Amino acid sequence: MTADRAGRSADQVNVRERVRNRVRQAWVGDAVLAVVVGVIVAVAVGLDDGGAGFFDYALIGAGSLAIAAHRRAPRAVLAVTTACLLVEVLYGGANSVAAIPVVAAVHTAARAAHRGLAAVAAGVFLAGFAVAGEASDDVVQRTLLLAGWFLCALVTGLADKNWQAYLRQTEQRALEAERTREEAALRRAGEERLRIARELHDSLTHSISIVKLQAGVAVHLARKRGEEIPPALLAIQEASGEAMRELRSTLTVLRTDEPTGSPALLVERARAAGLAVELMVRGRERGLAGELERTAYRIVQEGLTNAARHAGGSARVTVGLDYGERVLGVRVEDDGVADAGRPLVEGTGLTGMRERVASLGGTLRAGPRVEGGFLVRAELPLEFGALPSRSPEGAAGAWAEGREGASAEAKVAADAGRAGEGV
């Protein structure tokens, strides 16, 4: 246990260190790019016929170096770069190279989902560029050429945004698959256990029961006739009985899929982990059959796991159990960061919950709430798994039924003995 915790802590430290290195490298790359753009624009403006002064270089430097902060404040960078280079164009003349920092700022703003502001900034700069130039065909051509540049910057920014979203979604799916891999393996192992249990039950139980019954009848007839019972027959009877008991034990182990706790215990564990969880129980709480109880437990477990991973640290989670007359309602909802406007991509956990609920004839609804947050709500029919509450009279009736069943079995055995005797 201690070694596993130490290993996880080391992995977390390595991940944080890699993130810091990536951020540091990104900042260095952005700063170098801003300096290179500023030098190119300054050299081009300085080599122009009109030359350039200190004010020109100051505007070019401020507008170009601002690009280094485009990852944190793309709108501010767009405003500063456009304003500085627009003033430079109006003050120093319409130089096409001065548009390079503005084109870069438009691209970064479009990539950050601010395409409207980017288009407005491009239009303002183009208008100023056209006003700063002399009314000639050359200025019109250069303005149209810059318009093409800005259009390309907008399109490539949007394409880059979509590509980054695709990469994030792919990474999220990979993390989700990694998280649910163990659960899927456990589910497959459980299904394999059930299959083996069914095969053993169908192939062995009936045969061993027939052997045990025939051996018992033979022993009964031998004793009734006063004959000596062969030791092999007694050994067969004892071995078949032992085999039946061992087989029942094996089938019980194979079919066992009991949850290690209850929804209330899951809530307590989530609270201990720092999640704000509230448990609400409505109706008369009563015992449930194994499959129904397991399904309710897994729904609460998966809902709390998703809330802890995706809802955010300040989210509040509510777990509700509604014991109705015919339906058990299970609800896990949070007020986290889920957005109803985004399409839901179901992972393996939600798919497993839906399959469990469907196998019991119930319904499951999972998705973002309109008011924000995420909701998982299941309705499970109790007739598939409710355990009737048994009164003392009911228990006595069941005992009497068992006695009657035992008497019937004894009568059948006696009849079988008489039939064998007649033969």
Side-chain angles (χ1 to χ4, degrees):
M1 181 72 69
T2 304
D4 292 340
R5 291 179 179 176
R8 287 195 295 268
S9 300
D11 292 339
Q12 293 175 357
V13 171
N14 293 333
V15 170
R16 286 195 293 267
E17 187 64 27
R18 287 196 296 268
V19 171
R20 291 195 192 97
N21 292 334
R22 289 181 181 178
V23 172
R24 191 179 302 111
Q25 293 173 0
W27 271 101
V28 171
D30 294 339
V32 171
L33 176 63
V35 171
V36 171
V37 170
V39 170
I40 292 175
V41 176
V43 171
V45 173
L47 295 178
D48 199 8
D49 296 337
F54 175 78
F55 187 64
D56 297 301
Y57 291 125
L59 291 173
I60 293 172
S64 300
L65 295 179
I67 299 176
H70 71 89
R71 297 182 188 273
R72 287 193 173 184
R75 288 182 293 184
V77 170
L78 179 65
V80 171
T81 302
T82 304
C84 291
L85 274 302
L86 179 61
V87 173
E88 163 58 23
V89 167
L90 294 175
Y91 175 77
N95 194 320
S96 301
V97 182
I100 294 179
V102 184
V103 171
V106 167
H107 170 82
T108 57
R111 186 178 62 180
H114 304 304
R115 57 180 180 273
L117 293 176
V120 170
V124 170
F125 183 84
L126 288 174
F129 186 86
V131 171
E134 298 178 356
S136 62
D137 294 340
D138 181 61
V139 174
V140 174
Q141 292 177 357
R142 287 191 296 166
T143 303
L144 293 176
L145 179 61
L146 287 180
W149 287 7
F150 282 115
L151 180 60
C152 290
L154 284 170
V155 172
T156 55
L158 293 175
D160 193 7
K161 172 180 173 294
N162 294 333
W163 176 249
Q164 295 297 328
Y166 171 75
L167 292 180
R168 286 193 297 270
Q169 186 178 13
T170 302
E171 183 178 0
Q172 183 65 27
R173 287 180 178 177
L175 293 175
E176 184 71 15
E178 181 69 22
R179 184 181 69 85
T180 57
R181 183 177 301 169
E182 182 178 357
E183 181 180 352
L186 292 175
R187 186 182 298 114
R188 287 193 296 269
E191 293 173 354
E192 183 65 16
R193 287 200 307 269
L194 292 177
R195 188 189 67 80
I196 295 173
R198 286 193 297 266
E199 292 292 335
L200 287 175
H201 180 272
D202 295 340
S203 61
L204 296 180
T205 304
H206 179 70
S207 300
I208 296 177
S209 299
I210 295 299
V211 171
K212 184 175 183 296
L213 178 61
Q214 291 178 345
V217 171
V219 169
H220 173 74
L221 292 176
R223 286 173 177 170
K224 190 171 183 179
R225 293 169 178 171
E227 300 175 354
E228 182 181 359
I229 302 174
L233 192 59
L234 293 175
I236 291 174
Q237 185 183 26
E238 182 180 357
S240 60
E242 183 66 22
M244 285 292 294
R245 288 190 292 272
E246 291 292 337
L247 183 59
R248 289 194 188 100
S249 301
T250 303
L251 294 178
T252 301
V253 172
L254 289 174
R255 285 170 174 162
T256 298
D257 187 23
E258 297 297 327
T260 57
S262 64
L265 182 60
L266 288 175
V267 170
E268 292 299 327
R269 290 175 180 172
R271 287 174 180 167
L275 193 64
V277 189
E278 179 183 3
L279 176 62
M280 300 177 61
V281 180
R282 297 177 56 188
R284 182 174 61 87
E285 188 173 0
R286 51 194 182 273
L288 303 172
E291 186 62 29
L292 184 59
E293 183 180 4
R294 285 192 293 270
T295 300
Y297 178 89
R298 298 305 183 193
I299 291 172
V300 174
Q301 184 183 45
E302 183 66 25
L304 290 176
T305 301
N306 290 338
R309 289 180 56 83
H310 306 297
S314 61
R316 299 187 62 84
V317 185
T318 302
V319 176
L321 298 176
D322 188 1
Y323 290 87
E325 292 297 329
R326 298 183 178 181
V327 174
L328 171 66
V330 183
R331 187 181 79 257
V332 181
E333 60 181 338
D334 61 73
D335 57 356
V337 298
D339 186 6
R342 296 181 179 179
L344 175 64
V345 179
E346 288 197 4
T348 307
L350 286 179
T351 302
M353 279 197 295
R354 197 175 299 281
E355 292 174 353
R356 283 179 178 269
V357 173
S359 67
L360 296 178
T363 59
L364 176 72
R365 179 193 168 220
R369 305 190 305 172
V370 177
E371 61 271 24
F374 199 85
L375 170 66
V376 175
R377 183 172 62 193
E379 293 184 354
L380 306 173
L382 289 177
E383 59 265 24
F384 279 82
L387 290 177
S389 57
R390 180 168 293 174
S391 61
E393 294 79 8
W399 179 80
E401 291 175 1
R403 289 290 303 272
E404 292 175 2
S407 300
E409 292 176 1
K411 184 178 180 180
V412 172
D415 293 339
R418 287 194 294 271
E421 185 176 0
V423 173

